[in-house]
Amino acid sequence: MNRNKPALLLFLMVLSCFILTETLAQQKLISSAETAGSLLLSDGKQSTPLYMSDGDYPGVARAFNNLKKDIGLVSDHEPALYTGNIPVASALIIAGTLNKSSVIDELVKNKKIDVSSIKSKWEAFSIQLVENPFPNVKRALVITGSDKRGTIYGIYELSKQIGVSPWYWWADVPPKKSNKLYYNAATIYTDSPVVKYRGIFLNDEEPALGRWAVERYGGFNHEFYERLFDLILRLKGNYLWPAMWWASFNSDDPLNPKLADEYGVVMGTSHHEPMMRAHAEWKKRNGGEWNYETNENTLNQFWTEGIQRMNNYESIVTLAMRGDGDKAMTAETNIALLEKIVKNQRDIIHTVTGKDPQQVPQLWALYKEVQDYYDKGMRVPDDVLLLLCDDNWGNIRKLPNINDPPHKGGYGIYYHFDYVGDPRNYKWLNTNSLPRVWEQMNLAYQHGVTQLWLVNVGDLKPVELPTEFFLDYAWNPTKINADNIDVYTKTWASEQFGAEHANEISALLRQYTKFNSRRKPELLNGETYSLSNYREAETIVHDYEKLLKQAEKINDLLANNYRDAYYELVLHPIKACANLNRMYFTQARNKQYAKQGRALTNSLADSVKLLFKNDSTYSHYYNKELAGGKWNHMMDQTHISYTYWQQPEKDVVPPTERISMPVASALGISPEGSEEWWPSIKTNLMLPEFDVFNKQQYYIDIFNRGTTSFSVTITSSVPWIKLSSSAMNIQTENKVMVSVDWTKAPKGMNDASVTIKGAGENVDVKIRINNTAVKAKGFVESNKVISMEAIHFTKAINTSSVSWQQLPDLGKTLSSMITIPVTAASQLPDKKSPCLEYDVFTFTGGDISISGYFSPTIDFHQQGGLKYGISIDDEAPQIVNLHADKSANAWGKSVSDNIIICNSKHTIIKPGKHTVKFWRVDAGVVLQKLVMDLGGLKPSYLGPPESFIQR
């Protein structure tokens, strides 16, 4: 932000917040109070009856019957539902599909309803009040769909607005009770999707979802899928890749595909399961090698049966072929063979259906190595949808160039909220930050990828919020932008738990996913965060436990009927992850303390075991007690003590150390910010530098290396050093806090010391302070480091074609900056190029380095890497490539750490005021922070905290 215009900025922020809230907010159709022209749906005694033509789609009938039940759940008075002859009534709720419902067609013919805004559109619907629709009906609320799903979406829109969450069953969200329901809209409410196919993929479903489904339903049968179909449609989705690790959607239960089509869910099969056949079917068939060169006839027959069984059900046929069991095909596989496979598959489609293959929706998934085949020249017929993919970690690998000729079949994206594979499985809890999902899917949308969006949701249960966000964003990407994602989260929280605590709950949701996305729980260990530097590890634990206290406070304030849903959606992931981080922090301290011979070492080992037990206790509650045991097995997923990418067979207590302690007391000293400790070293113990800008308070750890307690005295060499205590008794350990009285401290750079006496020892810890006045504005060096959050720039320089955009909450520590439009061409820096300027003040000169911290975005145009420019003052910008290291190890580190850190070397001739300039070169670069190392940067996971800003 521009600090030179704070008042204007504040005004614009308030104004934009109001506008964005209005833009994102759902058009409010229902209230509990009567307004002029409103229609009473329920008055606490009875509810307005429902009517539909008996010739409409069965899926519409199912949805309308669900609306009947939903009204009953909210009002306690379920309305009557009529078909056949129109009843005599003062009011009706009517639903139907154009050209399928006789009553809707009659209303159109008699010009009682206006369908011009939805006619001939895909999945569009309208909701409107009609006066005197029929001679025996005074008023009607009419839901009209352009097609089957359009009507269903209109029906479920009304369900949602009266207070029934799409997650009423899958997350136990209670309906919002109301004695009176009024429909208030005076105008026609219409809607239709931007992305044509919007779906989810159930995957990696063992041991959680799979064992749950087997216990509850006997497997992934029609009873299970009826629940899932209902959820997908309530979320305005329309597409599904079903569970497939061991299940076969089409053959395990013949009712599955029939009911999918009846409900209105378009079916497909995963990226490695061509021609509507599950890979589990091939295993059961024992058909020989999954190799087209050696087993062509058997595979052709297998695929023919899949298309025959597809019948006329709405489907998208996956083409081509991967290796057996979702693996790459052999290195010898050639493009000519793959093109032959696709040709033969399309011939099968033509032979079985009797249709031109162009009339049967098909896709080719450019997943993993398959994208390499495409890049090397393999092509499929132009009518086939090209399903582009992410890298399994939420980073889109490839996007069409906006200057490319149109592809008739369109483009889709296959995205991941869950994954099994290298460098580590992640499938336990939600680790998906909505701003990151928005940033990547906005890239897809802006590049014209609107034919299909599909997301791997794993077990579904842990990722309820991002799943709904993904499908809502696919419905209308223009409605959700970078600045109103927090409004979306608040609205979602209000829909699940009511408006009273929506602000607090949305903050909890945003924070825990931000924390979880820093490093996925499966990748955590005792060495992730630094124990010694920047108080990193203890701050992580403190922040999570603060979040937990807030979550528990809200839990206590909620009505009892919200408790199960709140535990599933909010409290459990926060509680479980706060405990997990505390456990690894305790393990790290145990190992450090064992090296130092601290008296507390063995107690910390016991604490690790207790925290490990807490983890299993939380899972047990989720499985066995929550919602009366409804979700048994849903938290069976192992997540502790990985040794490589695959999950451990069972969770194991992290290893700890135990030591034998002498009886005699012995002094130990460990100053903050140092890995050195006394008596490991006898001299040069030193605290980090204090400065008048940050006014730091550092601690000195005083600990016992024996079992007998002892007393210590603490003194300072100068009167301007302040100590939290001058004497204390040490049983195991204690801290003395050290600070500076800046009203008494001498000017400039000065040294002092603190002396600890006890257990027969006399130990000095050195102190250095910087009490230098700085008049210049900007970030001020401290401890030979300047750390700058990306959004705290001094000046943003835009051009007529490119401007800077803040992405709130997208960052490991704060937020990010990108340039828009994300489709703008690359440009090497010149004097008029877009750049961000950061004013700094240094006390150090000479050779320095600047590290840029970036979201791990992929080079999605394959142009040799995404680049940026960096310079200090008037030097020529250095061009830095985020993807200079193209190795698998570099990629693995970037996704594991959820960051790419790039370095550049510079020279500062003399200390003082300088300006760091970050130059835009390529679109898609997501800057999180800049760190200037003047010789004092210490190892940490998140990087140093932001430096003081002189204003």
Coordinates of all heavy atoms in Angstrom, one line a residue, residues 515-559:
F515 N -2.3 -21.8 8.5 CA -1.3 -22.5 9.3 C -1.0 -23.9 8.7 O 0.2 -24.3 8.6 CB -1.7 -22.6 10.8 CG -1.8 -21.4 11.6 CD1 -2.4 -21.3 12.8 CD2 -1.3 -20.2 11.0 CE1 -2.4 -20.2 13.5 CE2 -1.4 -19.0 11.8 CZ -1.9 -19.0 13.0
N516 N -2.0 -24.6 8.4 CA -1.9 -25.9 7.8 C -1.2 -26.0 6.5 O -0.5 -26.9 6.1 CB -3.2 -26.6 7.7 CG -3.5 -27.6 8.9 OD1 -2.7 -27.6 9.8 ND2 -4.6 -28.3 8.8
S517 N -1.4 -24.9 5.7 CA -0.8 -24.9 4.4 C 0.7 -24.5 4.4 O 1.4 -24.6 3.4 CB -1.6 -23.9 3.4 OG -1.5 -22.6 3.9
R518 N 1.1 -24.0 5.5 CA 2.6 -23.7 5.6 C 3.4 -24.9 5.4 O 4.4 -24.9 4.7 CB 2.9 -23.1 7.0 CG 2.4 -21.7 7.2 CD 2.6 -21.3 8.7 NE 2.4 -19.9 8.9 CZ 2.2 -19.3 10.1 NH1 2.2 -20.1 11.2 NH2 2.1 -18.0 10.2
R519 N 3.0 -26.0 6.0 CA 3.6 -27.3 5.7 C 2.6 -28.3 6.2 O 2.0 -28.3 7.3 CB 4.9 -27.5 6.6 CG 5.7 -28.7 6.2 CD 7.0 -28.7 6.8 NE 7.8 -29.8 6.4 CZ 8.7 -29.8 5.3 NH1 8.7 -28.7 4.6 NH2 9.4 -30.8 5.0
K520 N 2.3 -29.2 5.3 CA 1.2 -30.2 5.5 C 1.5 -31.1 6.7 O 2.7 -31.4 6.9 CB 0.9 -31.0 4.3 CG 0.4 -30.1 3.1 CD 0.1 -30.9 1.9 CE -0.3 -30.0 0.7 NZ -1.5 -29.2 0.9
P521 N 0.5 -31.4 7.5 CA 0.8 -32.2 8.8 C 1.7 -33.4 8.6 O 2.5 -33.7 9.4 CB -0.6 -32.5 9.3 CG -1.5 -31.4 8.8 CD -0.9 -31.1 7.4
E522 N 1.5 -34.1 7.5 CA 2.2 -35.3 7.2 C 3.7 -35.0 7.0 O 4.5 -35.9 7.1 CB 1.7 -36.0 6.0 CG 0.3 -36.6 6.2 CD -0.8 -35.6 5.9 OE1 -0.6 -34.4 5.8 OE2 -2.0 -36.1 5.7
L523 N 4.1 -33.8 6.7 CA 5.5 -33.4 6.5 C 6.1 -32.8 7.7 O 7.3 -32.6 7.7 CB 5.6 -32.4 5.3 CG 5.5 -33.0 3.9 CD1 5.0 -32.0 2.9 CD2 6.8 -33.5 3.5
L524 N 5.4 -32.6 8.8 CA 5.9 -32.0 10.0 C 6.8 -33.0 10.7 O 6.6 -34.2 10.7 CB 4.8 -31.6 10.9 CG 4.0 -30.3 10.5 CD1 2.8 -30.2 11.5 CD2 4.9 -29.1 10.5
N525 N 7.8 -32.5 11.4 CA 8.6 -33.2 12.3 C 9.2 -32.2 13.3 O 9.0 -31.0 13.2 CB 9.7 -34.1 11.6 CG 10.6 -33.3 10.8 OD1 11.2 -32.3 11.2 ND2 10.8 -33.7 9.5
G526 N 10.0 -32.7 14.2 CA 10.6 -31.9 15.2 C 11.6 -30.9 14.7 O 12.0 -30.0 15.4
E527 N 12.1 -31.0 13.4 CA 13.1 -30.2 12.9 C 12.5 -29.1 11.9 O 13.2 -28.3 11.3 CB 14.1 -31.0 12.1 CG 14.9 -32.0 13.1 CD 15.9 -32.8 12.3 OE1 15.9 -32.7 11.1 OE2 16.5 -33.6 13.0
T528 N 11.2 -29.1 11.7 CA 10.6 -28.2 10.7 C 10.8 -26.8 11.1 O 11.3 -26.0 10.3 CB 9.0 -28.5 10.6 OG1 8.8 -29.8 10.2 CG2 8.4 -27.5 9.6
Y529 N 10.5 -26.4 12.3 CA 10.6 -25.0 12.8 C 11.8 -24.8 13.7 O 12.2 -25.7 14.5 CB 9.3 -24.6 13.5 CG 8.1 -24.6 12.6 CD1 7.1 -25.5 12.8 CD2 8.0 -23.8 11.5 CE1 6.0 -25.6 12.0 CE2 6.9 -23.8 10.7 CZ 5.9 -24.8 10.9 OH 4.8 -24.8 10.1
S530 N 12.4 -23.7 13.6 CA 13.7 -23.4 14.4 C 13.4 -23.2 15.9 O 12.5 -22.4 16.2 CB 14.4 -22.2 13.8 OG 15.5 -21.9 14.6
L531 N 14.1 -24.0 16.7 CA 14.0 -23.8 18.1 C 14.8 -22.5 18.6 O 14.4 -21.9 19.6 CB 14.5 -25.0 18.9 CG 13.6 -26.2 19.1 CD1 14.4 -27.3 19.8 CD2 12.4 -25.8 19.8
S532 N 15.8 -22.2 17.8 CA 16.8 -21.2 18.3 C 16.5 -19.8 17.7 O 16.8 -18.8 18.4 CB 18.2 -21.6 17.9 OG 18.5 -22.9 18.5
N533 N 16.0 -19.8 16.5 CA 16.0 -18.5 15.8 C 14.6 -17.9 15.7 O 13.6 -18.6 15.3 CB 16.6 -18.7 14.4 CG 18.0 -19.2 14.5 OD1 18.8 -18.8 15.4 ND2 18.4 -20.1 13.6
Y534 N 14.5 -16.7 16.0 CA 13.3 -15.9 15.8 C 12.1 -16.4 16.6 O 10.9 -16.1 16.3 CB 12.9 -15.8 14.3 CG 14.0 -15.4 13.4 CD1 14.4 -16.3 12.4 CD2 14.7 -14.2 13.6 CE1 15.5 -15.9 11.5 CE2 15.8 -13.9 12.7 CZ 16.2 -14.7 11.7 OH 17.2 -14.4 10.9
R535 N 12.3 -17.2 17.6 CA 11.3 -17.8 18.4 C 10.3 -18.5 17.5 O 9.1 -18.5 17.8 CB 10.5 -16.8 19.3 CG 11.4 -16.1 20.3 CD 10.6 -15.3 21.3 NE 11.4 -14.5 22.2 CZ 11.0 -13.5 23.0 NH1 9.7 -13.3 23.1 NH2 11.8 -12.9 23.8
E536 N 10.8 -19.1 16.4 CA 9.9 -19.6 15.4 C 9.0 -20.7 15.9 O 7.7 -20.7 15.8 CB 10.7 -20.0 14.2 CG 9.8 -20.5 13.0 CD 10.6 -20.8 11.8 OE1 11.4 -21.8 11.8 OE2 10.4 -20.1 10.8
A537 N 9.6 -21.8 16.4 CA 8.8 -23.0 16.8 C 7.8 -22.6 17.9 O 6.6 -23.0 17.9 CB 9.8 -24.1 17.3
E538 N 8.3 -21.9 18.9 CA 7.3 -21.6 20.0 C 6.2 -20.6 19.6 O 5.1 -20.7 20.1 CB 8.1 -21.0 21.2 CG 8.8 -19.7 21.0 CD 9.7 -19.3 22.1 OE1 9.2 -18.7 23.1 OE2 10.9 -19.6 22.1
T539 N 6.5 -19.8 18.6 CA 5.5 -18.9 18.1 C 4.4 -19.7 17.3 O 3.2 -19.4 17.5 CB 6.1 -17.8 17.2 OG1 7.0 -17.0 18.0 CG2 5.0 -16.9 16.6
I540 N 4.9 -20.6 16.5 CA 3.9 -21.5 15.8 C 3.0 -22.2 16.8 O 1.8 -22.2 16.6 CB 4.7 -22.5 15.0 CG1 5.5 -21.9 13.8 CG2 3.8 -23.6 14.5 CD1 4.7 -21.3 12.7
V541 N 3.5 -22.8 17.8 CA 2.7 -23.5 18.8 C 1.8 -22.5 19.5 O 0.6 -22.8 19.8 CB 3.6 -24.2 19.8 CG1 2.9 -24.8 21.0 CG2 4.4 -25.3 19.1
H542 N 2.3 -21.4 19.9 CA 1.5 -20.4 20.6 C 0.4 -19.9 19.8 O -0.8 -19.8 20.3 CB 2.4 -19.2 21.0 CG 1.6 -18.0 21.6 ND1 1.1 -17.0 20.9 CD2 1.2 -17.8 22.9 CE1 0.4 -16.1 21.6 NE2 0.5 -16.6 22.9
D543 N 0.6 -19.6 18.5 CA -0.4 -19.1 17.6 C -1.5 -20.2 17.5 O -2.7 -19.9 17.4 CB 0.1 -18.7 16.3 CG 0.9 -17.4 16.4 OD1 0.9 -16.8 17.4 OD2 1.6 -17.1 15.4
Y544 N -1.1 -21.5 17.3 CA -2.1 -22.5 17.2 C -2.9 -22.7 18.4 O -4.2 -22.9 18.4 CB -1.4 -23.8 16.7 CG -2.0 -24.4 15.5 CD1 -1.2 -24.7 14.4 CD2 -3.4 -24.6 15.3 CE1 -1.7 -25.2 13.2 CE2 -3.9 -25.1 14.1 CZ -3.1 -25.4 13.1 OH -3.6 -25.9 11.9
E545 N -2.3 -22.6 19.6 CA -3.0 -22.8 20.8 C -3.9 -21.6 21.1 O -5.0 -21.8 21.7 CB -2.0 -23.1 21.9 CG -1.4 -24.5 21.7 CD -0.4 -24.9 22.8 OE1 0.0 -24.0 23.6 OE2 0.0 -26.1 22.8
K546 N -3.5 -20.4 20.7 CA -4.4 -19.3 20.8 C -5.6 -19.5 20.0 O -6.7 -19.2 20.4 CB -3.6 -18.0 20.4 CG -4.4 -16.7 20.5 CD -3.6 -15.5 20.0 CE -4.4 -14.3 20.0 NZ -3.6 -13.1 19.5
L547 N -5.4 -20.0 18.7 CA -6.5 -20.3 17.9 C -7.4 -21.3 18.5 O -8.7 -21.2 18.4 CB -6.0 -20.8 16.5 CG -6.9 -20.7 15.3 CD1 -7.2 -19.3 14.9 CD2 -6.3 -21.5 14.1
L548 N -6.9 -22.3 19.1 CA -7.7 -23.4 19.8 C -8.5 -22.8 20.9 O -9.7 -23.1 21.0 CB -6.8 -24.5 20.3 CG -7.5 -25.6 21.1 CD1 -8.5 -26.3 20.3 CD2 -6.4 -26.6 21.6
K549 N -8.0 -21.9 21.7 CA -8.7 -21.3 22.8 C -9.9 -20.5 22.2 O -11.0 -20.5 22.7 CB -7.8 -20.3 23.6 CG -6.9 -21.1 24.5 CD -6.0 -20.1 25.3 CE -5.0 -20.8 26.2 NZ -4.2 -19.9 27.0
Q550 N -9.7 -19.8 21.1 CA -10.8 -19.0 20.5 C -11.9 -20.0 19.9 O -13.1 -19.7 20.1 CB -10.2 -18.2 19.3 CG -9.3 -17.1 19.8 CD -8.5 -16.4 18.7 OE1 -8.4 -17.0 17.6 NE2 -7.9 -15.3 18.9
A551 N -11.4 -21.1 19.3 CA -12.3 -22.1 18.8 C -13.2 -22.7 19.9 O -14.4 -23.0 19.8 CB -11.6 -23.2 18.0
E552 N -12.5 -23.0 21.0 CA -13.2 -23.7 22.2 C -14.2 -22.7 22.8 O -15.3 -23.0 23.3 CB -12.2 -24.2 23.2 CG -11.5 -25.4 22.7 CD -10.4 -25.9 23.6 OE1 -9.8 -25.0 24.3 OE2 -10.2 -27.1 23.7
K553 N -13.8 -21.4 22.8 CA -14.7 -20.4 23.3 C -16.0 -20.3 22.5 O -17.1 -20.2 23.0 CB -14.0 -19.0 23.3 CG -14.9 -17.9 23.9 CD -14.1 -16.5 23.8 CE -15.0 -15.4 24.2 NZ -14.2 -14.1 24.2
I554 N -15.9 -20.3 21.2 CA -17.0 -20.3 20.3 C -17.9 -21.5 20.5 O -19.1 -21.5 20.5 CB -16.6 -20.1 18.8 CG1 -15.9 -18.8 18.6 CG2 -17.8 -20.2 17.9 CD1 -16.7 -17.6 19.0
N555 N -17.2 -22.7 20.6 CA -17.9 -23.9 20.8 C -18.8 -23.8 22.0 O -20.0 -24.3 22.0 CB -16.9 -25.1 21.0 CG -17.6 -26.4 21.1 OD1 -18.2 -26.9 20.2 ND2 -17.4 -27.0 22.3
D556 N -18.3 -23.2 23.1 CA -19.1 -23.1 24.3 C -20.3 -22.2 24.2 O -21.3 -22.3 24.9 CB -18.2 -22.6 25.5 CG -17.2 -23.6 25.9 OD1 -17.3 -24.8 25.6 OD2 -16.2 -23.2 26.5
L557 N -20.2 -21.2 23.3 CA -21.3 -20.3 23.0 C -22.3 -20.8 22.1 O -23.5 -20.3 22.1 CB -20.7 -19.0 22.5 CG -19.8 -18.2 23.4 CD1 -19.1 -17.0 22.7 CD2 -20.5 -17.7 24.7
L558 N -22.0 -21.8 21.3 CA -23.0 -22.3 20.3 C -24.1 -23.1 20.9 O -23.8 -23.8 22.0 CB -22.3 -23.1 19.2 CG -21.4 -22.4 18.2 CD1 -20.6 -23.4 17.4 CD2 -22.2 -21.5 17.3
A559 N -25.2 -23.1 20.3 CA -26.3 -24.0 20.8 C -25.9 -25.5 20.6 O -25.1 -25.8 19.7 CB -27.6 -23.7 20.0

